[in-house]
Amino acid sequence: MAVTVNLVSPSGPDGATVELPPEIFSARVNLPLMHQVVVAQQAAARQGTHATKGRGAVRGGGKKPYRQKGTGRARQGSIRAPQFAGGGTVHGPVPRSYEQRTPKKMKAAALRGALSDRAAHGRVHVVTSFTDDDAPRTRDALSVLLAATGTTPSAAHLLVVTQPDDTVTWKSLRNVPGVHLLDAGQLNTYDVLVSDHVVFTEAALGQFLARSGFPGATAPQASEAPTPPQAEDAES
């Protein structure tokens, strides 16, 4: 069943709606799958540059500190052994990659589940644009966000999905705390789940659906509000 959301413009809701494809926004929500994908994404973000020095890498300690026998002390071969202060580390961390292999179909299914969860709770919104003209205005953009989501960035975390060449949207919202701007091609499960509301621009939604590769994904069709019948001409 398709999900229908209101299409919000800078002048306010005008009665137009957008139907979201059910293959993406009404899909099955698989919590273990989303958890696995998010863990893999966070693991891939780790640098993995941690390292410690073993006894062979610590400077000094090339000479035996004292003779083997006759001192009454335990035999030692180097003052850089792990039991000495300033010695090497035993089984310390070494540089490594934390990347986990996640199939593309798993990532796509997890993203569908995350978007479906947000859509089921009425937290997916579509706007035509954030300003009436080509000049960036943060005040106008915040007004559009308030009209679309019913909340403000100070009270909720908002994810705004737009196009990379939409400079007006980027300049209007990039410095607003609580608003995370994301290119439609970089939409991912983690950013959807960590946000309270997901707001698409109409163009970004079409781009996302066109490049998603999901079954039945098509560009959104906005339906205009029905116009009242016109009065017949008096001469007729």
Side-chain angles (χ1 to χ4, degrees):
M1 181 177 179
V3 179
T4 303
V5 297
N6 293 327
L7 184 62
V8 180
S9 65
S11 58
D14 53 4
T17 59
V18 174
E19 288 191 0
L20 304 178
E23 295 85 358
I24 302 175
F25 294 92
S26 295
R28 176 173 173 263
V29 180
N30 190 334
L31 293 180
L33 174 61
M34 291 191 295
H35 176 267
Q36 180 179 347
V37 170
V38 169
V39 169
Q41 182 177 345
Q42 291 180 317
R46 299 184 64 176
Q47 290 184 341
T49 55
H50 42 51
T52 57
K53 291 184 178 181
R55 61 181 296 169
V58 180
R59 178 187 175 95
K63 177 183 178 182
K64 188 175 176 68
Y66 46 82
R67 59 181 182 168
Q68 181 81 352
K69 295 178 178 294
T71 63
R73 303 177 62 184
R75 54 193 177 185
Q76 304 292 342
S78 172
I79 61 172
R80 295 297 181 244
Q83 66 269 25
F84 285 98
T89 302
V90 182
H91 304 307
V94 295
R96 54 162 291 197
S97 172
Y98 286 90
E99 183 177 357
Q100 302 178 15
R101 180 184 176 274
T102 307
K104 292 182 180 179
K105 290 185 177 181
M106 292 178 61
K107 294 180 182 178
L111 179 56
R112 288 198 301 268
L115 290 173
S116 299
D117 176 76
R118 289 295 179 264
H121 293 83
R123 297 184 176 227
V124 175
H125 316 278
V126 182
V127 301
T128 57
S129 62
F130 286 94
T131 59
D132 287 320
D133 48 24
D134 295 334
R137 288 187 178 87
T138 300
R139 181 180 300 176
D140 294 348
L142 291 178
S143 299
V144 174
L145 282 179
L146 179 61
T149 64
T151 185
T152 59
S154 59
H157 189 277
L158 307 181
L159 174 63
V160 176
V161 184
T162 184
Q163 292 180 301
D165 56 353
D166 188 0
T167 57
V168 175
T169 300
W170 286 94
K171 290 182 179 180
S172 298
L173 295 173
R174 62 186 177 184
N175 290 331
V176 179
V179 175
H180 179 49
L181 281 166
L182 197 63
D183 176 11
Q186 297 178 344
L187 188 61
N188 58 84
T189 305
Y190 173 78
D191 285 321
V192 172
L193 293 178
V194 80
S195 303
D196 297 310
H197 293 267
V198 181
V199 182
F200 287 90
T201 63
E202 192 175 14
L205 179 61
Q207 179 185 359
F208 168 69
L209 296 179
R211 64 178 296 174
S212 62
F214 298 152
T218 56
Q221 300 294 331
S223 59
E224 298 294 339
T227 55
Q230 299 293 332
E232 297 184 358
D233 193 353
E235 297 180 357
S236 60

